[in-house]
Amino acid sequence: MTITPESVVSIHYTVSAEDGTQLDSSEGKQPLTVMLGKRFLIEGLEDALQNKEQGEKFEVDIAPEQAYGQRMDELVQQVPKDMFDGMDVEVGMSFRATTEQGEQSVMIIDVADDHVVVDGNHPLAGVPLKFEVEVIEVREPTQEEIEHGHAHGPGSGNDH
């Protein structure tokens, strides 16, 4: 079966940065199972899967614009430390912040005596990615999956 924009696909993948540093992999785990067209995958990977078939293996380079976007300097902000209400904050901690655009994940990238620097960029923003992919299974979504808007079963995160 050929992958279409509405297919449920199961894939094994390895994703690396441009310098070859492995960032994530499904190797040794269950394949990742997703319903396409629902924004569960980055745009560049979903596009690369189109018209592939079960058993096919391929590599694809994905530019930041088709992945997590470019880094945006305006998402790095210095905020007063007292906004954290006496918490013991450390570099690398993540929080949900309420912004004018709604809830957003931020990571602490610097801590000083009176302020904290937070970064709202995705950690992989601005990073070109290389995927090695093996298509394990391709199928049509069930009626229940269509109604719920996501794949069910092993590797989907929705094992019901």
Coordinates of all heavy atoms in Angstrom, one line a residue, residues 13-75:
Y13 N 12.9 5.1 12.8 CA 13.6 6.3 12.3 C 14.9 6.5 13.2 O 14.9 6.1 14.4 CB 12.8 7.5 12.4 CG 12.4 7.9 13.8 CD1 13.2 8.8 14.5 CD2 11.3 7.3 14.4 CE1 12.9 9.1 15.8 CE2 11.0 7.6 15.8 CZ 11.8 8.5 16.4 OH 11.5 8.8 17.8
T14 N 15.8 7.2 12.7 CA 16.9 7.8 13.4 C 17.1 9.2 12.9 O 17.1 9.4 11.7 CB 18.2 7.0 13.2 OG1 18.1 5.7 13.7 CG2 19.4 7.7 13.9
V15 N 17.1 10.1 13.8 CA 17.3 11.5 13.4 C 18.6 12.1 14.0 O 18.9 11.8 15.1 CB 16.1 12.4 13.8 CG1 15.9 12.4 15.3 CG2 16.2 13.8 13.3
S16 N 19.3 12.8 13.1 CA 20.6 13.3 13.5 C 20.7 14.8 13.1 O 20.0 15.2 12.2 CB 21.8 12.5 12.8 OG 21.7 11.1 13.0
A17 N 21.6 15.5 13.8 CA 22.0 16.8 13.4 C 22.9 16.8 12.2 O 23.4 15.7 11.8 CB 22.6 17.6 14.6
E18 N 23.1 17.9 11.6 CA 24.0 18.1 10.4 C 25.4 17.5 10.7 O 26.0 16.9 9.8 CB 24.1 19.5 10.1 CG 24.3 19.8 8.6 CD 24.2 21.3 8.3 OE1 24.4 22.2 9.2 OE2 23.8 21.6 7.2
D19 N 25.9 17.6 11.9 CA 27.2 17.1 12.2 C 27.3 15.6 12.5 O 28.3 15.0 12.8 CB 27.9 17.9 13.4 CG 27.1 17.7 14.7 OD1 26.2 16.8 14.7 OD2 27.5 18.3 15.7
G20 N 26.1 14.9 12.4 CA 26.1 13.5 12.6 C 25.7 13.1 14.0 O 25.5 11.9 14.3
T21 N 25.5 14.0 14.9 CA 25.1 13.7 16.3 C 23.7 13.1 16.3 O 22.8 13.8 15.8 CB 25.2 15.0 17.2 OG1 26.5 15.5 17.2 CG2 24.8 14.6 18.6
Q22 N 23.5 11.9 16.8 CA 22.2 11.3 16.8 C 21.4 12.0 17.9 O 21.8 12.2 19.1 CB 22.3 9.8 17.2 CG 21.0 9.1 17.1 CD 21.1 7.6 17.3 OE1 21.8 7.0 16.6 NE2 20.4 7.1 18.3
L23 N 20.2 12.4 17.5 CA 19.3 13.2 18.4 C 18.2 12.3 19.0 O 17.8 12.5 20.1 CB 18.6 14.3 17.7 CG 19.6 15.3 17.1 CD1 18.9 16.3 16.2 CD2 20.4 16.0 18.2
D24 N 17.7 11.3 18.2 CA 16.6 10.4 18.6 C 16.6 9.2 17.7 O 17.0 9.3 16.5 CB 15.3 11.2 18.6 CG 14.2 10.4 19.4 OD1 14.5 9.5 20.2 OD2 13.0 10.7 19.2
S25 N 16.0 8.1 18.2 CA 15.9 6.9 17.4 C 14.8 6.0 18.0 O 14.7 6.0 19.2 CB 17.2 6.2 17.3 OG 17.1 5.0 16.5
S26 N 14.2 5.3 17.1 CA 13.2 4.3 17.5 C 13.9 2.9 17.6 O 13.3 1.9 17.9 CB 12.0 4.2 16.6 OG 12.4 3.8 15.3
E27 N 15.2 2.9 17.3 CA 16.0 1.6 17.2 C 15.8 0.9 18.6 O 16.0 1.5 19.6 CB 17.4 1.9 17.0 CG 18.2 0.7 16.4 CD 17.8 0.3 15.1 OE1 17.4 1.2 14.3 OE2 17.9 -0.9 14.8
G28 N 15.5 -0.4 18.6 CA 15.3 -1.2 19.8 C 14.0 -0.9 20.5 O 13.8 -1.4 21.6
K29 N 13.1 -0.1 19.9 CA 11.8 0.2 20.5 C 10.8 -0.2 19.5 O 11.1 -0.6 18.4 CB 11.7 1.7 20.8 CG 12.8 2.2 21.7 CD 12.7 3.7 21.8 CE 13.9 4.4 22.4 NZ 13.9 5.8 22.2
Q30 N 9.5 0.0 19.9 CA 8.4 -0.2 18.9 C 8.5 0.9 17.9 O 8.9 2.0 18.2 CB 7.1 -0.1 19.6 CG 6.8 -1.3 20.5 CD 5.3 -1.4 20.9 OE1 4.5 -0.7 20.4 NE2 5.0 -2.4 21.7
P31 N 8.1 0.6 16.7 CA 8.0 1.7 15.7 C 7.1 2.8 16.1 O 6.1 2.5 16.8 CB 7.6 1.0 14.4 CG 7.2 -0.4 14.7 CD 7.6 -0.7 16.2
L32 N 7.3 4.0 15.6 CA 6.4 5.1 15.8 C 5.2 5.0 14.9 O 5.4 4.8 13.7 CB 7.2 6.4 15.5 CG 6.3 7.7 15.6 CD1 5.8 8.0 17.0 CD2 7.2 8.9 15.1
T33 N 4.0 5.0 15.4 CA 2.8 4.9 14.6 C 2.0 6.2 14.7 O 1.7 6.6 15.8 CB 2.0 3.7 15.1 OG1 2.7 2.5 15.0 CG2 0.7 3.6 14.3
V34 N 1.7 6.8 13.5 CA 1.0 8.1 13.5 C 0.0 8.1 12.4 O 0.2 7.4 11.4 CB 1.9 9.3 13.4 CG1 2.9 9.4 14.5 CG2 2.7 9.2 12.1
M35 N -1.0 8.9 12.5 CA -1.9 9.2 11.5 C -1.4 10.5 10.8 O -1.2 11.5 11.5 CB -3.4 9.4 12.0 CG -4.4 9.7 10.9 SD -6.0 10.2 11.5 CE -6.5 8.7 12.4
L36 N -1.2 10.4 9.5 CA -0.7 11.6 8.8 C -1.8 12.6 8.7 O -3.0 12.4 8.8 CB -0.2 11.2 7.4 CG 1.0 10.2 7.4 CD1 1.5 9.9 6.0 CD2 2.2 10.7 8.3
G37 N -1.4 13.8 8.4 CA -2.3 14.9 8.2 C -2.8 15.6 9.5 O -3.7 16.5 9.5
K38 N -2.3 15.1 10.6 CA -2.8 15.6 11.9 C -1.7 16.4 12.7 O -1.8 16.7 13.9 CB -3.3 14.5 12.8 CG -4.4 13.7 12.2 CD -5.6 14.5 12.0 CE -6.7 13.7 11.3 NZ -7.9 14.5 11.0
R39 N -0.5 16.7 12.0 CA 0.6 17.5 12.6 C 1.3 16.8 13.8 O 1.8 17.4 14.7 CB 0.1 18.9 13.0 CG -0.5 19.6 11.8 CD -0.9 21.0 12.2 NE 0.2 21.7 12.7 CZ 0.8 22.8 12.2 NH1 0.4 23.3 11.0 NH2 1.8 23.4 12.7
F40 N 1.3 15.4 13.7 CA 2.1 14.7 14.7 C 3.5 14.6 14.3 O 4.4 14.3 15.2 CB 1.5 13.3 14.9 CG 0.1 13.3 15.6 CD1 -1.0 12.9 14.9 CD2 0.0 13.7 16.9 CE1 -2.2 12.9 15.5 CE2 -1.3 13.7 17.5 CZ -2.4 13.3 16.8
L41 N 3.8 14.8 13.1 CA 5.2 14.7 12.6 C 5.6 16.1 12.1 O 4.7 16.9 11.7 CB 5.4 13.7 11.4 CG 5.1 12.3 11.7 CD1 5.2 11.5 10.4 CD2 6.1 11.8 12.8
I42 N 6.9 16.4 12.0 CA 7.3 17.7 11.4 C 6.9 17.6 9.9 O 6.9 16.5 9.3 CB 8.8 17.9 11.6 CG1 9.7 16.8 11.1 CG2 9.1 18.2 13.1 CD1 11.2 17.1 11.1
E43 N 6.7 18.8 9.4 CA 6.2 18.9 8.0 C 7.1 18.2 7.0 O 6.7 17.5 6.1 CB 6.1 20.4 7.7 CG 5.5 20.6 6.3 CD 5.4 22.1 6.0 OE1 5.6 23.0 6.9 OE2 5.1 22.5 4.9
G44 N 8.4 18.4 7.1 CA 9.4 17.8 6.2 C 9.4 16.3 6.1 O 9.5 15.7 5.1
L45 N 9.2 15.7 7.3 CA 9.2 14.2 7.4 C 7.8 13.7 6.8 O 7.8 12.7 6.1 CB 9.4 13.7 8.8 CG 9.4 12.2 9.0 CD1 10.4 11.5 8.1 CD2 9.6 11.9 10.5
E46 N 6.8 14.4 7.2 CA 5.5 13.9 6.6 C 5.5 14.0 5.1 O 5.0 13.1 4.4 CB 4.3 14.8 7.2 CG 3.0 14.2 6.9 CD 1.9 14.6 7.8 OE1 2.1 14.6 9.0 OE2 0.8 14.8 7.3
D47 N 6.0 15.1 4.6 CA 6.1 15.3 3.1 C 6.9 14.2 2.5 O 6.6 13.6 1.4 CB 6.7 16.6 2.7 CG 5.7 17.8 3.0 OD1 4.5 17.6 3.3 OD2 6.2 19.0 3.0
A48 N 8.1 13.8 3.1 CA 9.0 12.8 2.6 C 8.3 11.4 2.6 O 8.7 10.6 1.8 CB 10.3 12.8 3.4
L49 N 7.4 11.2 3.5 CA 6.7 9.9 3.5 C 5.7 9.7 2.4 O 5.4 8.5 2.1 CB 6.0 9.7 4.9 CG 6.9 9.4 6.1 CD1 6.2 9.6 7.4 CD2 7.4 8.0 6.0
Q50 N 5.2 10.7 1.8 CA 4.2 10.6 0.8 C 4.7 9.7 -0.4 O 5.8 9.9 -0.8 CB 3.8 12.0 0.3 CG 3.1 12.9 1.3 CD 1.9 12.2 2.0 OE1 1.0 11.7 1.4 NE2 1.9 12.3 3.3
N51 N 3.8 8.8 -0.8 CA 4.0 7.9 -1.9 C 5.1 6.8 -1.6 O 5.4 6.1 -2.5 CB 4.4 8.7 -3.2 CG 3.2 9.6 -3.6 OD1 2.1 9.2 -3.6 ND2 3.6 10.9 -3.8
K52 N 5.6 6.7 -0.4 CA 6.4 5.6 0.0 C 5.6 4.4 0.2 O 4.4 4.5 0.4 CB 7.3 5.9 1.2 CG 8.2 7.2 1.1 CD 9.3 6.9 0.1 CE 10.4 8.0 0.2 NZ 10.2 9.1 -0.6
E53 N 6.2 3.2 0.3 CA 5.5 2.0 0.5 C 6.1 1.2 1.6 O 7.2 1.4 2.0 CB 5.5 1.1 -0.8 CG 4.9 1.9 -1.9 CD 4.5 1.0 -3.1 OE1 4.5 -0.3 -2.9 OE2 4.0 1.5 -4.1
Q54 N 5.3 0.3 2.2 CA 5.7 -0.6 3.3 C 7.0 -1.3 2.8 O 7.1 -1.8 1.7 CB 4.6 -1.6 3.6 CG 5.0 -2.5 4.7 CD 3.8 -3.3 5.2 OE1 2.7 -2.8 5.2 NE2 4.0 -4.6 5.5
G55 N 8.0 -1.3 3.7 CA 9.3 -2.0 3.5 C 10.3 -1.0 2.9 O 11.5 -1.4 2.8
E56 N 9.9 0.2 2.4 CA 10.8 1.1 1.8 C 11.7 1.8 2.9 O 11.3 2.1 4.0 CB 10.0 2.2 1.1 CG 10.8 2.9 0.0 CD 9.9 3.6 -1.0 OE1 8.7 3.3 -1.2 OE2 10.4 4.6 -1.5
K57 N 13.0 1.9 2.6 CA 13.9 2.7 3.4 C 14.4 3.9 2.6 O 14.7 3.8 1.4 CB 15.1 1.8 3.8 CG 14.8 0.6 4.6 CD 16.0 -0.2 5.0 CE 15.6 -1.5 5.8 NZ 16.8 -2.2 6.2
F58 N 14.6 5.0 3.4 CA 15.1 6.2 2.7 C 15.7 7.1 3.7 O 15.5 7.0 4.9 CB 14.0 6.9 1.9 CG 12.9 7.5 2.8 CD1 12.9 8.8 3.2 CD2 11.8 6.7 3.2 CE1 11.9 9.3 4.0 CE2 10.8 7.2 4.0 CZ 10.8 8.5 4.4
E59 N 16.5 8.1 3.2 CA 17.1 9.1 4.0 C 16.6 10.5 3.5 O 16.3 10.6 2.2 CB 18.6 9.1 3.9 CG 19.2 7.9 4.6 CD 20.8 8.0 4.5 OE1 21.3 9.0 4.0 OE2 21.4 7.0 4.9
V60 N 16.4 11.4 4.3 CA 15.9 12.7 3.9 C 16.6 13.8 4.8 O 16.6 13.6 6.0 CB 14.4 12.8 3.9 CG1 13.8 12.6 5.3 CG2 13.9 14.2 3.3
D61 N 17.0 14.9 4.2 CA 17.5 16.0 4.9 C 16.4 17.0 5.0 O 15.8 17.3 3.9 CB 18.7 16.7 4.1 CG 19.9 15.7 4.1 OD1 20.2 15.1 5.2 OD2 20.6 15.7 3.1
I62 N 16.2 17.6 6.2 CA 15.1 18.5 6.4 C 15.6 19.8 6.9 O 16.3 19.9 8.0 CB 14.0 17.9 7.3 CG1 13.5 16.6 6.7 CG2 12.9 18.9 7.6 CD1 12.5 15.8 7.6
A63 N 15.3 20.9 6.2 CA 15.7 22.2 6.6 C 14.9 22.7 7.8 O 13.8 22.2 8.0 CB 15.5 23.2 5.4
P64 N 15.4 23.6 8.6 CA 14.7 24.1 9.8 C 13.3 24.6 9.5 O 12.4 24.3 10.3 CB 15.6 25.2 10.3 CG 17.0 24.8 9.9 CD 16.8 24.2 8.5
E65 N 13.1 25.2 8.4 CA 11.8 25.7 8.0 C 10.7 24.6 7.9 O 9.5 24.9 8.1 CB 11.8 26.5 6.7 CG 12.7 27.8 6.8 CD 14.2 27.5 6.7 OE1 14.6 26.4 6.3 OE2 15.0 28.4 6.9
Q66 N 11.2 23.4 7.6 CA 10.3 22.3 7.4 C 10.3 21.4 8.7 O 9.7 20.3 8.7 CB 10.7 21.4 6.2 CG 10.5 22.2 4.9 CD 9.1 22.5 4.6 OE1 8.3 21.6 4.6 NE2 8.8 23.8 4.4
A67 N 11.0 21.8 9.7 CA 11.1 21.1 11.0 C 10.6 21.9 12.1 O 9.4 22.0 12.3 CB 12.6 20.7 11.2
Y68 N 11.5 22.5 12.9 CA 11.1 23.3 14.1 C 11.3 24.8 13.9 O 11.2 25.5 14.9 CB 11.9 22.8 15.3 CG 11.5 21.3 15.6 CD1 12.4 20.3 15.2 CD2 10.3 21.0 16.3 CE1 12.1 19.0 15.5 CE2 10.0 19.7 16.5 CZ 10.9 18.7 16.1 OH 10.5 17.4 16.3
G69 N 11.5 25.2 12.7 CA 11.6 26.6 12.4 C 13.0 27.2 12.7 O 13.9 26.5 13.2
Q70 N 13.2 28.4 12.3 CA 14.4 29.1 12.6 C 14.4 29.6 14.1 O 13.3 29.9 14.6 CB 14.7 30.3 11.7 CG 15.0 29.9 10.2 CD 16.3 29.2 10.1 OE1 17.1 29.2 11.0 NE2 16.5 28.6 8.9
R71 N 15.5 29.8 14.7 CA 15.6 30.4 16.0 C 15.1 31.9 15.9 O 15.4 32.6 15.0 CB 17.0 30.4 16.6 CG 17.4 29.0 17.0 CD 18.6 29.0 17.8 NE 18.6 29.8 19.0 CZ 17.9 29.5 20.2 NH1 17.2 28.4 20.2 NH2 17.9 30.3 21.2
M72 N 14.3 32.3 16.9 CA 13.9 33.7 16.9 C 14.4 34.4 18.2 O 14.1 33.9 19.3 CB 12.3 33.7 16.9 CG 11.8 33.1 15.6 SD 10.0 33.2 15.2 CE 9.2 33.1 16.8
D73 N 15.2 35.4 18.0 CA 15.9 36.1 19.1 C 14.9 36.6 20.1 O 15.1 36.7 21.3 CB 16.8 37.2 18.6 CG 18.0 36.6 17.9 OD1 18.4 35.4 18.1 OD2 18.6 37.4 17.1
E74 N 13.7 37.1 19.6 CA 12.7 37.7 20.5 C 12.1 36.7 21.5 O 11.4 37.1 22.4 CB 11.6 38.4 19.7 CG 10.8 37.5 18.8 CD 11.4 37.3 17.3 OE1 12.6 37.6 17.1 OE2 10.6 36.9 16.5
L75 N 12.3 35.4 21.3 CA 11.9 34.4 22.2 C 12.8 34.1 23.3 O 12.5 33.3 24.2 CB 11.5 33.1 21.5 CG 10.4 33.1 20.5 CD1 10.2 31.8 19.8 CD2 9.1 33.6 21.1

